[in-house]
Amino acid sequence: MHGGFLAEGQLLDGVDRIRHLPAVIVNGRYDLCCPPVSAFDLARRWPEATLRIVPDAGHSAAEAGVIREVLRALHEVTSEGRLTGRRTRTGPRLVIGDRRWQDRPGDGCAVRGQ
């Protein structure tokens, strides 16, 4: 941890408090400040969330791919989108670019989805 305002593991350990909220986690593939492994860890603890890895982006929120995915996520979690209700599934959904993956229960492997 960077020694900031959160204790080691606090975010992951407290995710149950917010799991009822619709969520899309957006992370750049080449993000060195917040590496994708951190987003994967959060998505594993928050299986109702969708994880989107932007294949051609790093850390900057000003990158075109990040802007596109954040706007898409905002649409999805609002009343106009499809994530307005609580979703349940066995594992996190992962989106890399236009490809969607879904974890299979029990083996930790991802399979291609729609």
Side-chain angles (χ1 to χ4, degrees):
M1 185 74 183
H2 55 73
F5 57 90
L6 295 175
E8 184 71 31
Q10 183 177 352
L11 177 63
L12 294 178
D13 292 341
V15 77
D16 285 341
R17 297 176 65 190
I18 58 173
R19 282 184 61 186
H20 65 284
L21 300 172
V24 179
I25 303 163
V26 177
N27 207 123
R29 177 181 177 196
Y30 299 108
D31 190 335
L32 300 178
C33 298
C34 303
V37 68
S38 299
F40 281 105
D41 290 344
L42 179 58
R44 289 226 182 262
R45 297 270 189 108
W46 197 347
E48 297 83 9
T50 295
L51 171 59
R52 290 220 173 97
I53 300 297
V54 183
D56 59 348
H59 185 71
S60 176
E63 293 186 56
V66 173
I67 292 170
R68 179 186 65 246
E69 293 303 328
V70 168
L71 290 175
R72 184 186 302 180
L74 287 171
H75 173 76
E76 289 177 0
V77 299
T78 64
S79 61
E80 297 177 21
R82 61 183 166 75
L83 299 182
T84 55
R86 179 171 169 79
R87 298 177 307 147
T88 58
R89 77 165 129 265
T90 56
R93 182 174 64 169
L94 167 64
V95 179
I96 301 176
D98 293 331
R99 303 177 90 169
R100 298 176 190 277
W101 303 84
Q102 173 68 47
D103 273 4
R104 290 188 293 214
D107 65 6
C109 296
V111 295
R112 180 102 188 258
Q114 63 262 84

